[in-house]
Amino acid sequence: MPVVNENRSSSEMTSARDKNNSEDEKLANEAVIEVENLSFSYDLGKTNTLRDINLNIPKNKVTAFIGPSGCGKSTLLRCFNRMNDTIATAKITAGSIKIMGSDVSNPRVDPILLRKEIGMVFQKSNPFPKSVYENVAFGLRIGGERNKTAIDEIVEESLKRAALWDEVKDRLKESALSLSGGQQQRLCIARTIAVQPSVILMDEPCSALDPVATTVVEELITTLREDYTVVVVTHNMQQATRVSDSTAFFYLGELIEYDLTSKLFTNPAKKQTEDYISGRFG
Amino acid sequence: MDSKFERKKGRVSAELIATLILRGATYLVILSFLLIMGRIVVRGAPVLAKEGISFLTERPKILFGFYDENEKYHRLSSQEFREYQKENPNGIILSKQSANYSGGGIKSPLIGTLFLVLICIVLAMSTGIAAAVYLSEYSKRGPFIKVVRLAIINLAGVPSIVFGLFGLAFFCYFFPVITKSAPAERSAKAWEIPTWMYPSNFADEGYRIDMADTPPDSGSRKIIVHKADDGLEFSVFNARGAIVKRVKQYEIDATKPTWVDIENDLATIKSMRDSQSPEVFYQSSRTVEEEALISKLRPLLKLKRRLWLSFQGWEPSMIAAGCTLACMVLPIVITACEESLRAVPQGFRDAALSLGATQWQTVRKSVLPYALPGMLTASVLGILRVAGETAPIMYTGAFATGNLPWVGLREEGVWKVGEFFQRGCEAMPYHIYILSAKIPQSDLVRPMQDGAVLVFMLIVMALATTSVILRMRIRKKLKW
């Protein structure tokens, strides 16, 4: 099972990690995303928003990032698909991120290719003001797909995969904005799936949804793990326990604890984690 | 009353004075608006009512005012005056006065303003949208962008007369242009464009052969052939009516074609010309015979087609005035466009980028389509307001002319589109300036002044109102 580089802030700890046991070895092979000693800054290194993060995200599992606002969990998520590139002063100041074995913090990496492999779903559902069909087809069209039957097929498949097909199959030509909030968010998930990524990053996907819509999306997330590696950022600790296999707790830009969800929430190793999950702060 | 809440006397009056001053200032605004509008309407409306639609559809003409033998006063435009004279050949005309541009209507300034604004819209929108997209979607914050933004803000504050003078210096007398005639003296630097770079369909200059001894009208290129003592003499005129070349027969070594040929050709053309009335002849395009003779003469007279790239500007012209206006509205357009771009939710950009779109795909597919309606309305309406500016155009392209800008451009059956833009035109604000400050004032001029001002005010007010209404509508619509 996936475990776990705990937060190692000293070089001594890093060297300790080098003497990895056989179980760690196995983990490394399974990991889709490997983060090593990552530090990240929004202001060209003056202050580090993320400090010395180490973690491996296992394949075909749901990993939850929890922590109070401003702890850097969304920032880390946006490092994975280089969405931070849109900010001129954002910079990885130390360490590396390997995705499926290749370093993505390298400036020679093409973020366009990377983002086709790593889809993202945002906090606020953001369908384009186009038809349902065109929303799902968007990624294919910009990828240069012209074949109408191929697009039709992928659109249907993606909508089915996002558990939305039955609700929208008769209104594919209607505006996506006419859908309900939960449907819009699932549409965004379908849109992401249509590009056929291997990892889906979700940045608080349910925070703008009502409880019923949240349940539907959460159920969807748990089924997505069969085909995708999912990383979910969430404020909602119950949600983390419901959907995730492992959970990382961030606090003030550092990874405090990363463990199996069942272990982290029942028997946290760190005092700060315990305080946070028991609601003493955050 | 003996209450501790009783109003103190002194405070009431201070309150009253403050209210009165503030209210007075507000009323002053309405008062000045009413005074200006009232005066314009009261004086302009009767003129419009009397002249009717012809006020908008007739070109400005000379107006004559005089008493006839019955001491009846007549106000007649030049054309009407000629008719009057024809009808009353023996009529007595007393204390005749005349005033330029005071008869007819305001068709040519209206049309001139329309063209200036159109040129300005095309130039300012294309540049402004591109700059706004760059600033809002591509540029990263830095000292350079700060300088650019500062420049935009400052550009918006430059007085319009400065734009006018800048336009005169830059667009009229310095801007690099491609010219068919030799570079002007003022040209800062000129290069002849090598022949291989000419477009394949580069049109012939279109010389026409003429045998008259009078210099040609400007606007047509001619070769005038006349008999001199020592044989034929060829004078080649450019479009401005200036002689660019004069060649004597004996100066040319002409074994082919022989002079007899040329003289025969000339005789043919001349007889053709004589058989037609001059008007008909000049309206028709060049005849086959003329074409043939010109192609014979071209090598002899060395009528080479040449193009220059010259830093000499367009001279005062519609294009120069349009460019000046475009510079002036650029900050408005950029600001309006950026505002519309900002109104597009960040989520659209994030979504497109996260799906693997390039920056350009993101802009083109998920930002521009949603920003464009707002961009177009906001900036077009911002631009329309410069329709009222006089200073930027008075040196760069506005002329006191009653002529429409395309008059005389159909030369030899072909519309000269390029030359059209290099002509000056009349424009509404400049026309009003001319009417009220540049021609001798008399009772003859006044109706035209009043009518023109009223029409102009109505147009500008209509545009301003539409701009406000449309902007409000678009703001409402721009919610996602």
Side-chain angles (χ1 to χ4, degrees), chain B residues 109-185:
Chain B
L110 277 178
I111 284 178
T113 290
L114 178 77
F115 276 113
L116 288 183
V117 169
L118 281 181
I119 295 172
C120 176
I121 285 178
V122 170
L123 294 174
M125 292 285 284
S126 44
T127 324
I129 290 182
V133 166
Y134 178 76
L135 283 175
S136 132
E137 307 295 321
Y138 282 83
S139 73
K140 311 213 161 173
R141 261 176 275 159
F144 174 69
I145 293 304
K146 262 188 200 155
V147 171
V148 171
R149 292 203 181 273
L150 205 66
I152 293 172
I153 293 168
N154 281 319
L155 205 58
V158 172
S160 54
I161 185 71
V162 176
F163 274 108
L165 293 173
F166 159 76
L168 179 70
F170 186 70
F171 292 117
C172 298
Y173 294 132
F174 182 74
F175 200 76
V177 294
I178 290 175
T179 163
K180 285 185 196 166
S181 44
E185 245 173 69

Coordinates of all heavy atoms in Angstrom, one line a residue, chain B residues 109-185:
Chain B
P109 N -19.2 67.8 -45.8 CA -18.6 67.6 -44.5 C -19.2 66.4 -43.8 O -18.4 65.7 -43.1 CB -19.0 68.9 -43.7 CG -20.0 69.6 -44.5 CD -19.8 69.2 -45.9
L110 N -20.4 66.1 -43.9 CA -21.0 64.9 -43.3 C -20.3 63.6 -43.8 O -19.9 62.8 -43.1 CB -22.5 64.8 -43.6 CG -23.5 65.5 -42.7 CD1 -24.9 65.3 -43.2 CD2 -23.3 65.1 -41.3
I111 N -20.1 63.6 -45.2 CA -19.5 62.4 -45.7 C -18.0 62.4 -45.4 O -17.5 61.3 -45.1 CB -19.7 62.4 -47.3 CG1 -21.1 62.0 -47.5 CG2 -18.7 61.5 -48.0 CD1 -21.5 62.0 -49.0
G112 N -17.3 63.5 -45.3 CA -15.9 63.5 -44.9 C -15.8 63.0 -43.5 O -14.9 62.2 -43.3
T113 N -16.6 63.5 -42.6 CA -16.5 63.0 -41.2 C -16.8 61.5 -41.2 O -16.0 60.8 -40.5 CB -17.6 63.7 -40.4 OG1 -17.2 65.1 -40.2 CG2 -17.7 63.1 -39.0
L114 N -17.7 61.0 -42.0 CA -18.0 59.6 -42.0 C -16.7 58.8 -42.4 O -16.3 57.8 -41.7 CB -19.1 59.3 -43.0 CG -19.5 57.8 -43.2 CD1 -20.3 57.4 -42.0 CD2 -20.2 57.6 -44.5
F115 N -16.1 59.3 -43.5 CA -14.9 58.6 -43.9 C -13.7 58.6 -42.9 O -13.1 57.7 -42.6 CB -14.4 59.1 -45.2 CG -15.1 58.5 -46.4 CD1 -15.9 59.2 -47.2 CD2 -14.9 57.1 -46.7 CE1 -16.6 58.6 -48.2 CE2 -15.6 56.5 -47.7 CZ -16.4 57.3 -48.5
L116 N -13.5 59.8 -42.3 CA -12.5 60.0 -41.3 C -12.7 59.0 -40.1 O -11.8 58.3 -39.7 CB -12.5 61.4 -40.7 CG -11.9 62.4 -41.7 CD1 -11.9 63.8 -41.0 CD2 -10.5 62.1 -42.1
V117 N -14.0 58.9 -39.7 CA -14.3 58.0 -38.6 C -14.1 56.6 -39.0 O -13.6 55.8 -38.2 CB -15.7 58.3 -38.1 CG1 -16.2 57.2 -37.1 CG2 -15.8 59.7 -37.4
L118 N -14.5 56.2 -40.2 CA -14.3 54.8 -40.6 C -12.8 54.5 -40.6 O -12.5 53.4 -40.1 CB -14.9 54.6 -42.0 CG -16.4 54.5 -42.1 CD1 -16.9 54.3 -43.5 CD2 -16.9 53.3 -41.2
I119 N -12.0 55.3 -41.2 CA -10.6 55.0 -41.3 C -10.1 54.9 -39.9 O -9.3 53.9 -39.5 CB -9.8 56.2 -42.0 CG1 -10.3 56.3 -43.5 CG2 -8.3 56.0 -41.9 CD1 -9.7 57.5 -44.2
C120 N -10.5 55.8 -39.0 CA -10.0 55.8 -37.6 C -10.5 54.5 -36.9 O -9.7 53.9 -36.2 CB -10.6 57.0 -36.9 SG -10.2 57.1 -35.2
I121 N -11.7 54.1 -37.2 CA -12.2 52.8 -36.5 C -11.3 51.7 -36.9 O -10.8 50.9 -36.1 CB -13.7 52.6 -36.9 CG1 -14.6 53.5 -36.1 CG2 -14.1 51.1 -36.6 CD1 -16.0 53.4 -36.4
V122 N -11.1 51.5 -38.2 CA -10.3 50.4 -38.7 C -8.9 50.4 -38.1 O -8.5 49.4 -37.6 CB -10.3 50.4 -40.3 CG1 -9.3 49.4 -40.8 CG2 -11.6 50.2 -40.9
L123 N -8.3 51.5 -38.2 CA -6.9 51.6 -37.7 C -6.8 51.4 -36.2 O -6.0 50.6 -35.6 CB -6.2 52.9 -38.1 CG -6.0 53.1 -39.5 CD1 -5.5 54.5 -39.8 CD2 -5.1 52.1 -40.1
A124 N -7.7 52.2 -35.4 CA -7.6 52.1 -34.0 C -8.0 50.8 -33.4 O -7.4 50.3 -32.5 CB -8.4 53.2 -33.4
M125 N -9.0 50.2 -34.1 CA -9.5 48.9 -33.5 C -8.5 47.8 -33.7 O -8.2 47.0 -32.8 CB -10.8 48.5 -34.2 CG -11.9 49.3 -33.9 SD -12.6 49.0 -32.3 CE -13.4 47.5 -32.6
S126 N -7.9 47.8 -34.9 CA -7.0 46.6 -35.2 C -5.8 46.8 -34.2 O -5.3 45.8 -33.6 CB -6.5 46.6 -36.6 OG -6.3 47.9 -37.1
T127 N -5.2 48.0 -34.1 CA -4.1 48.2 -33.3 C -4.5 48.0 -31.8 O -3.8 47.3 -31.0 CB -3.5 49.6 -33.4 OG1 -3.6 49.9 -34.8 CG2 -2.0 49.6 -33.0
G128 N -5.6 48.6 -31.4 CA -6.0 48.6 -30.0 C -6.3 47.2 -29.5 O -5.9 46.9 -28.4
I129 N -7.0 46.4 -30.3 CA -7.4 45.1 -29.9 C -6.1 44.3 -29.7 O -5.9 43.6 -28.7 CB -8.4 44.4 -30.8 CG1 -9.7 45.1 -30.7 CG2 -8.5 42.9 -30.5 CD1 -10.8 44.5 -31.6
A130 N -5.2 44.4 -30.7 CA -4.0 43.6 -30.6 C -3.2 44.0 -29.3 O -2.8 43.1 -28.6 CB -3.1 43.8 -31.8
A131 N -3.1 45.3 -29.1 CA -2.3 45.8 -27.9 C -3.0 45.3 -26.6 O -2.3 44.9 -25.7 CB -2.2 47.3 -28.0
A132 N -4.3 45.4 -26.6 CA -5.0 45.0 -25.4 C -4.9 43.6 -25.1 O -4.6 43.1 -23.9 CB -6.5 45.4 -25.5
V133 N -5.0 42.7 -26.2 CA -4.8 41.3 -25.9 C -3.4 41.0 -25.4 O -3.2 40.2 -24.5 CB -5.1 40.5 -27.3 CG1 -4.6 39.1 -27.2 CG2 -6.5 40.5 -27.6
Y134 N -2.4 41.7 -26.0 CA -1.0 41.5 -25.5 C -0.9 41.9 -24.1 O -0.4 41.1 -23.3 CB 0.0 42.2 -26.4 CG 1.4 42.0 -25.9 CD1 2.0 40.8 -26.1 CD2 2.0 43.0 -25.1 CE1 3.3 40.6 -25.6 CE2 3.2 42.8 -24.5 CZ 3.9 41.6 -24.8 OH 5.1 41.4 -24.3
L135 N -1.4 43.1 -23.8 CA -1.2 43.5 -22.4 C -1.9 42.7 -21.4 O -1.4 42.4 -20.3 CB -1.7 45.0 -22.3 CG -0.8 46.1 -22.8 CD1 -1.5 47.4 -22.8 CD2 0.5 46.1 -22.1
S136 N -3.2 42.2 -21.8 CA -4.0 41.6 -20.8 C -3.7 40.0 -20.7 O -3.8 39.4 -19.7 CB -5.4 41.9 -21.0 OG -6.2 40.7 -21.0
E137 N -3.3 39.5 -21.9 CA -3.2 38.0 -21.9 C -1.7 37.5 -22.0 O -1.4 36.4 -21.5 CB -4.0 37.4 -23.1 CG -5.4 37.9 -23.2 CD -6.2 37.4 -22.1 OE1 -6.0 36.2 -21.6 OE2 -7.1 38.1 -21.6
Y138 N -0.9 38.3 -22.6 CA 0.5 37.8 -22.8 C 1.5 38.4 -21.9 O 2.4 37.7 -21.3 CB 0.9 38.0 -24.2 CG 0.3 37.1 -25.2 CD1 -1.0 37.3 -25.7 CD2 1.0 36.0 -25.7 CE1 -1.5 36.4 -26.6 CE2 0.5 35.1 -26.6 CZ -0.8 35.3 -27.0 OH -1.3 34.4 -27.9
S139 N 1.5 39.7 -21.7 CA 2.6 40.4 -21.0 C 2.7 39.9 -19.6 O 1.7 39.6 -18.9 CB 2.4 41.9 -21.1 OG 1.3 42.2 -20.2
K140 N 3.9 39.8 -19.1 CA 4.1 39.6 -17.7 C 4.5 40.9 -17.1 O 5.1 41.7 -17.7 CB 5.2 38.5 -17.6 CG 5.0 37.4 -18.5 CD 5.5 36.1 -17.9 CE 4.9 34.9 -18.6 NZ 5.4 33.6 -18.2
R141 N 4.0 41.0 -15.8 CA 4.3 42.3 -15.2 C 5.8 42.5 -15.1 O 6.6 41.7 -14.9 CB 3.7 42.2 -13.8 CG 2.4 42.9 -13.7 CD 1.8 42.8 -12.3 NE 1.1 41.5 -12.2 CZ 0.9 40.9 -11.0 NH1 1.3 41.5 -9.9 NH2 0.2 39.8 -11.0
G142 N 6.2 43.8 -15.4 CA 7.6 44.1 -15.4 C 7.7 45.6 -15.6 O 6.8 46.3 -15.9
P143 N 9.0 46.1 -15.6 CA 9.2 47.5 -15.8 C 8.7 48.0 -17.2 O 8.2 49.1 -17.3 CB 10.7 47.7 -15.6 CG 11.3 46.3 -15.6 CD 10.2 45.4 -15.2
F144 N 8.9 47.1 -18.2 CA 8.6 47.6 -19.5 C 7.1 47.8 -19.6 O 6.6 48.8 -20.2 CB 9.0 46.5 -20.5 CG 8.6 46.8 -21.9 CD1 9.1 47.9 -22.6 CD2 7.6 46.0 -22.5 CE1 8.7 48.2 -23.9 CE2 7.2 46.3 -23.8 CZ 7.7 47.4 -24.5
I145 N 6.3 46.9 -19.1 CA 4.9 47.0 -19.2 C 4.4 48.2 -18.4 O 3.5 48.9 -18.8 CB 4.2 45.7 -18.6 CG1 4.5 44.5 -19.6 CG2 2.7 45.8 -18.5 CD1 4.1 44.8 -21.0
K146 N 5.1 48.5 -17.3 CA 4.7 49.7 -16.5 C 4.9 50.9 -17.4 O 4.1 51.8 -17.4 CB 5.6 49.8 -15.3 CG 5.0 49.3 -14.0 CD 5.8 49.6 -12.8 CE 5.4 48.7 -11.7 NZ 6.5 48.5 -10.7
V147 N 6.0 51.0 -18.1 CA 6.3 52.1 -19.0 C 5.2 52.2 -20.1 O 4.6 53.3 -20.4 CB 7.6 52.0 -19.7 CG1 7.8 53.0 -20.8 CG2 8.7 52.1 -18.7
V148 N 4.8 51.0 -20.6 CA 3.7 51.0 -21.7 C 2.4 51.6 -21.1 O 1.8 52.4 -21.7 CB 3.5 49.6 -22.2 CG1 2.3 49.5 -23.1 CG2 4.7 49.1 -23.0
R149 N 2.1 51.1 -19.9 CA 0.8 51.6 -19.3 C 0.9 53.1 -19.0 O -0.1 53.8 -19.2 CB 0.5 50.8 -18.0 CG 0.2 49.4 -18.3 CD -0.6 48.7 -17.2 NE -0.8 47.3 -17.5 CZ -1.8 46.9 -18.2 NH1 -2.7 47.8 -18.7 NH2 -2.0 45.7 -18.5
L150 N 2.0 53.5 -18.6 CA 2.2 54.9 -18.3 C 2.0 55.7 -19.6 O 1.3 56.8 -19.6 CB 3.6 55.2 -17.7 CG 3.8 56.4 -16.9 CD1 2.9 56.3 -15.6 CD2 5.2 56.6 -16.5
A151 N 2.6 55.2 -20.7 CA 2.4 55.8 -22.0 C 1.0 55.9 -22.4 O 0.5 56.9 -22.9 CB 3.2 55.1 -23.0
I152 N 0.2 54.8 -22.2 CA -1.2 54.8 -22.5 C -1.9 55.9 -21.8 O -2.7 56.7 -22.3 CB -1.8 53.5 -22.3 CG1 -1.2 52.4 -23.3 CG2 -3.3 53.5 -22.5 CD1 -1.5 51.0 -23.0
I153 N -1.7 56.0 -20.5 CA -2.4 56.9 -19.6 C -2.0 58.4 -20.1 O -2.9 59.2 -20.2 CB -2.0 56.7 -18.1 CG1 -2.5 55.4 -17.6 CG2 -2.5 57.9 -17.3 CD1 -2.0 55.0 -16.3
N154 N -0.7 58.6 -20.4 CA -0.3 59.9 -20.8 C -0.8 60.3 -22.1 O -1.2 61.4 -22.4 CB 1.2 60.0 -20.8 CG 1.7 60.2 -19.4 OD1 1.2 60.9 -18.6 ND2 2.8 59.5 -19.0
L155 N -0.9 59.3 -23.0 CA -1.4 59.5 -24.4 C -2.8 60.1 -24.3 O -3.3 60.9 -25.0 CB -1.4 58.2 -25.2 CG -1.3 58.4 -26.7 CD1 -0.1 59.1 -27.1 CD2 -1.3 57.0 -27.3
A156 N -3.6 59.5 -23.3 CA -5.0 59.9 -23.2 C -5.1 61.4 -22.7 O -6.1 62.0 -22.9 CB -5.7 59.0 -22.2
G157 N -4.0 61.9 -22.1 CA -4.1 63.2 -21.6 C -3.5 64.3 -22.5 O -3.5 65.5 -22.2
V158 N -3.0 63.9 -23.7 CA -2.3 64.8 -24.6 C -3.4 65.7 -25.2 O -4.4 65.2 -25.7 CB -1.5 64.1 -25.6 CG1 -1.0 65.1 -26.7 CG2 -0.4 63.3 -25.0
P159 N -3.2 67.0 -25.2 CA -4.2 67.9 -25.8 C -4.4 67.6 -27.3 O -3.4 67.2 -28.0 CB -3.7 69.3 -25.6 CG -2.6 69.2 -24.6 CD -2.1 67.8 -24.6
S160 N -5.6 67.8 -27.8 CA -5.9 67.4 -29.2 C -5.0 68.2 -30.2 O -4.7 67.7 -31.3 CB -7.4 67.5 -29.5 OG -7.8 68.8 -29.2
I161 N -4.7 69.4 -29.9 CA -4.0 70.2 -30.9 C -2.6 69.7 -31.0 O -2.0 69.7 -32.1 CB -3.9 71.7 -30.4 CG1 -3.2 72.6 -31.5 CG2 -3.2 71.9 -29.1 CD1 -4.0 72.8 -32.7
V162 N -2.0 69.1 -29.9 CA -0.7 68.5 -30.0 C -0.8 67.3 -31.0 O 0.1 67.0 -31.8 CB -0.2 68.1 -28.6 CG1 1.1 67.3 -28.7 CG2 -0.1 69.3 -27.7
F163 N -1.9 66.5 -30.9 CA -2.1 65.4 -31.8 C -2.1 65.9 -33.2 O -1.5 65.3 -34.1 CB -3.4 64.7 -31.5 CG -3.2 63.6 -30.5 CD1 -3.7 63.7 -29.2 CD2 -2.4 62.4 -30.7 CE1 -3.5 62.8 -28.2 CE2 -2.3 61.5 -29.8 CZ -2.8 61.6 -28.5
G164 N -2.8 67.1 -33.4 CA -2.9 67.7 -34.7 C -1.5 68.0 -35.3 O -1.2 67.6 -36.4
L165 N -0.7 68.6 -34.5 CA 0.6 69.0 -35.0 C 1.5 67.8 -35.1 O 2.3 67.7 -36.1 CB 1.3 70.0 -34.0 CG 0.5 71.3 -33.9 CD1 1.1 72.2 -32.8 CD2 0.7 72.1 -35.2
F166 N 1.4 66.8 -34.2 CA 2.1 65.6 -34.4 C 1.8 64.9 -35.7 O 2.6 64.5 -36.5 CB 1.8 64.7 -33.2 CG 2.2 63.2 -33.5 CD1 3.5 62.8 -33.5 CD2 1.2 62.3 -33.8 CE1 3.8 61.5 -33.8 CE2 1.4 61.0 -34.1 CZ 2.7 60.6 -34.1
G167 N 0.5 64.9 -36.0 CA 0.0 64.2 -37.2 C 0.5 65.0 -38.4 O 1.0 64.3 -39.4
L168 N 0.6 66.3 -38.4 CA 1.1 67.1 -39.5 C 2.6 66.7 -39.7 O 3.0 66.5 -40.8 CB 1.0 68.6 -39.2 CG 1.5 69.5 -40.3 CD1 0.6 69.4 -41.5 CD2 1.6 70.9 -39.7
A169 N 3.3 66.7 -38.6 CA 4.8 66.5 -38.7 C 5.1 65.0 -39.1 O 5.9 64.8 -40.0 CB 5.5 66.8 -37.4
F170 N 4.3 64.1 -38.5 CA 4.6 62.7 -38.7 C 3.9 62.1 -39.9 O 4.6 61.6 -40.8 CB 4.3 61.9 -37.5 CG 4.8 60.5 -37.5 CD1 6.1 60.2 -37.5 CD2 3.8 59.5 -37.6 CE1 6.5 58.9 -37.5 CE2 4.3 58.2 -37.6 CZ 5.6 57.9 -37.6
F171 N 2.6 62.1 -39.9 CA 1.9 61.4 -41.0 C 1.9 62.2 -42.3 O 1.9 61.6 -43.4 CB 0.4 61.1 -40.6 CG 0.3 60.1 -39.4 CD1 -0.2 60.5 -38.2 CD2 0.8 58.8 -39.6 CE1 -0.2 59.6 -37.2 CE2 0.7 57.9 -38.6 CZ 0.2 58.3 -37.4
C172 N 1.9 63.5 -42.2 CA 1.8 64.3 -43.4 C 3.2 64.5 -44.1 O 3.3 64.5 -45.3 CB 1.2 65.7 -43.2 SG -0.5 65.6 -42.6
Y173 N 4.2 64.6 -43.2 CA 5.5 65.0 -43.8 C 6.7 64.0 -43.5 O 7.8 64.3 -43.8 CB 5.9 66.4 -43.4 CG 4.9 67.4 -44.0 CD1 4.4 68.4 -43.2 CD2 4.6 67.3 -45.3 CE1 3.5 69.3 -43.7 CE2 3.7 68.2 -45.9 CZ 3.1 69.2 -45.1 OH 2.3 70.1 -45.6
F174 N 6.4 62.9 -42.8 CA 7.5 62.0 -42.5 C 7.2 60.6 -42.8 O 8.1 59.8 -43.1 CB 8.0 62.2 -41.1 CG 9.2 61.4 -40.7 CD1 10.4 61.7 -41.2 CD2 9.0 60.2 -40.0 CE1 11.5 60.9 -40.9 CE2 10.1 59.4 -39.7 CZ 11.4 59.7 -40.2
F175 N 6.0 60.2 -42.6 CA 5.7 58.7 -42.6 C 6.2 58.1 -43.9 O 6.1 58.7 -45.0 CB 4.2 58.6 -42.5 CG 3.7 57.2 -42.0 CD1 3.9 56.9 -40.7 CD2 3.2 56.3 -43.0 CE1 3.5 55.6 -40.3 CE2 2.8 55.0 -42.5 CZ 3.0 54.7 -41.2
P176 N 6.7 56.9 -43.8 CA 7.2 56.2 -45.1 C 6.0 55.8 -45.9 O 5.1 55.2 -45.5 CB 8.0 55.0 -44.5 CG 7.5 54.8 -43.2 CD 7.1 56.1 -42.6
V177 N 6.1 56.3 -47.2 CA 5.0 55.9 -48.1 C 5.6 55.4 -49.4 O 6.8 55.6 -49.7 CB 4.1 57.1 -48.4 CG1 3.3 57.5 -47.2 CG2 4.9 58.2 -49.0
I178 N 4.9 54.6 -50.1 CA 5.3 54.1 -51.4 C 4.7 55.1 -52.4 O 3.5 55.3 -52.4 CB 4.9 52.7 -51.7 CG1 5.7 51.8 -50.7 CG2 5.1 52.3 -53.1 CD1 5.3 50.3 -50.8
T179 N 5.5 55.6 -53.2 CA 5.0 56.7 -54.1 C 5.4 56.4 -55.6 O 6.5 55.8 -55.8 CB 5.5 58.1 -53.7 OG1 5.4 58.9 -54.8 CG2 7.0 58.0 -53.4
K180 N 4.5 56.7 -56.5 CA 4.8 56.4 -57.9 C 5.5 57.6 -58.6 O 6.2 57.4 -59.6 CB 3.4 56.3 -58.6 CG 2.8 54.9 -58.4 CD 1.6 54.9 -59.2 CE 0.6 53.8 -58.8 NZ -0.7 53.9 -59.5
S181 N 5.4 58.8 -58.0 CA 6.1 59.9 -58.5 C 7.4 60.1 -57.7 O 7.5 59.6 -56.6 CB 5.3 61.1 -58.6 OG 4.6 61.3 -57.3
A182 N 8.3 60.8 -58.3 CA 9.6 61.0 -57.7 C 9.5 61.5 -56.2 O 8.5 62.3 -56.0 CB 10.5 61.9 -58.5
P183 N 10.3 61.1 -55.3 CA 10.2 61.6 -53.9 C 10.1 63.1 -53.8 O 10.8 63.8 -54.5 CB 11.4 61.0 -53.2 CG 11.9 59.9 -54.1 CD 11.4 60.2 -55.5
A184 N 9.3 63.6 -52.9 CA 9.2 65.0 -52.7 C 10.5 65.5 -52.1 O 11.3 64.8 -51.6 CB 8.0 65.3 -51.8
E185 N 10.7 66.8 -52.2 CA 11.9 67.5 -51.7 C 12.1 67.3 -50.2 O 13.1 67.1 -49.7 CB 11.9 69.0 -52.0 CG 13.0 69.4 -53.0 CD 12.8 70.8 -53.3 OE1 12.9 71.7 -52.4 OE2 12.4 71.1 -54.5

